[in-house]
Amino acid sequence: MRIAAAAQAAGRQPAEVRLLAVSKTWPADSVREAAAAGQQAFGENYVQEGVTKVEALAGLGLEWHFIGPLQSNKTRLVANHFAWVHSIDRLKIAERLSEQRDVHLPPLNVCIQVNVSGEDSKSGVAPAELPELAEAVAALPRLCLRGLMAIPEPTPDVAVQRARFASLRALRDELNGAGYGLDTLSMGMSDDLEAAIAEGSTMVRVGTAIFGSRA
Ligand SMILES: *Cc1c(COP(=O)(O)O)cnc(C)c1O
């Protein structure tokens, strides 16, 4: 499909790019169908909706990723129902997730969300503040800092898409140059996954292209 073609075009192995199926707004039965077709990792944006599906499908051995904005009063649910959180953009949220993660569960995998578009309205830490946040998050005992995530502003201009994704990759490379072992670049959605894969994405978050348009 598109991921394999984009990886090949970029001289990469298709297996280097994981597909996260974004099931927000779709019912548990849609997830069940995708799981039956072999999809293992699912992304959710809204805490209560996601937790309901995680519990309904607990027997299927799926890997759940929280990818939406996270408020501090909802961290406990996320800390204990998900395997990954992609949307860490401030230390307070990370600290709460680390404190609240059940000791019997493995560390929670996290990505720091970076604002690579520079718009005031976008969530994500500013690139200049990333090194300090990364250092603090990496020190939290119940979290495992895996990489960076971005949601660049939508644009049909492929050159702009690629520039945004390249800047996230450069930030990851800088951190790795400083000794971090970050293996994850969570970037690319239905409309820009080719550009993201060309710039080194290791996880594309795809909703519409899998499940169809959301109501
Ligand atoms: C909804 C969403 C996606 C998937 O978007 P599509 O355009 O439907 O592929 C990916 N990442 C995040 C953070 C989202 O909120």
Side-chain angles (χ1 to χ4, degrees), residues 22 24 45 67 149 151 189-191 205-209 214:
V22 177
K24 66 181 178 203
N45 272 63
I67 62 175
M149 182 272 241
I151 312 172
M189 319 198 325
S190 294
D191 288 336
R205 308 178 310 271
V206 181
T208 311
R214 289 178 289 274

Side-chain angles (χ1 to χ4, degrees), residues 24-165:
K24 66 181 178 203
T25 78
W26 294 97
D29 278 346
S30 301
V31 175
R32 205 184 291 279
E33 271 176 41
Q39 177 62 28
Q40 218 239 326
F42 292 87
E44 289 286 335
N45 272 63
Y46 310 105
V47 175
Q48 198 51 60
E49 179 194 338
V51 166
T52 302
K53 277 179 244 179
V54 170
E55 288 177 344
L57 301 171
L60 296 183
L62 302 177
E63 184 180 279
W64 291 95
H65 296 232
F66 189 79
I67 62 175
L70 185 49
Q71 283 151 5
S72 52
N73 61 344
K74 301 273 178 65
T75 50
R76 186 178 298 278
L77 279 168
V78 170
N80 293 307
H81 285 81
F82 289 83
W84 286 68
V85 175
H86 293 226
S87 44
I88 301 289
D89 63 359
R90 55 195 200 275
L91 182 58
K92 182 181 172 200
I93 296 291
E95 285 173 341
R96 289 177 66 91
L97 290 170
S98 181
E99 277 161 24
Q100 294 169 344
R101 178 77 166 172
D102 189 307
V103 292
H104 300 104
L105 293 172
L108 181 65
N109 296 296
V110 299
C111 293
I112 294 176
Q113 183 175 351
V114 184
N115 180 352
V116 293
S117 300
E119 289 166 48
D120 295 340
S121 60
K122 290 276 171 163
S123 41
V125 67
E129 291 159 21
L130 174 62
E132 193 184 337
L133 181 59
E135 187 177 0
V137 170
L140 293 171
R142 303 292 297 137
L143 303 188
C144 178
L145 179 59
R146 296 291 297 269
L148 305 179
M149 182 272 241
I151 312 172
E153 88 281 25
T155 167
D157 185 336
V158 174
V160 174
Q161 292 175 5
R162 287 193 57 159
R164 301 301 191 209
F165 292 135

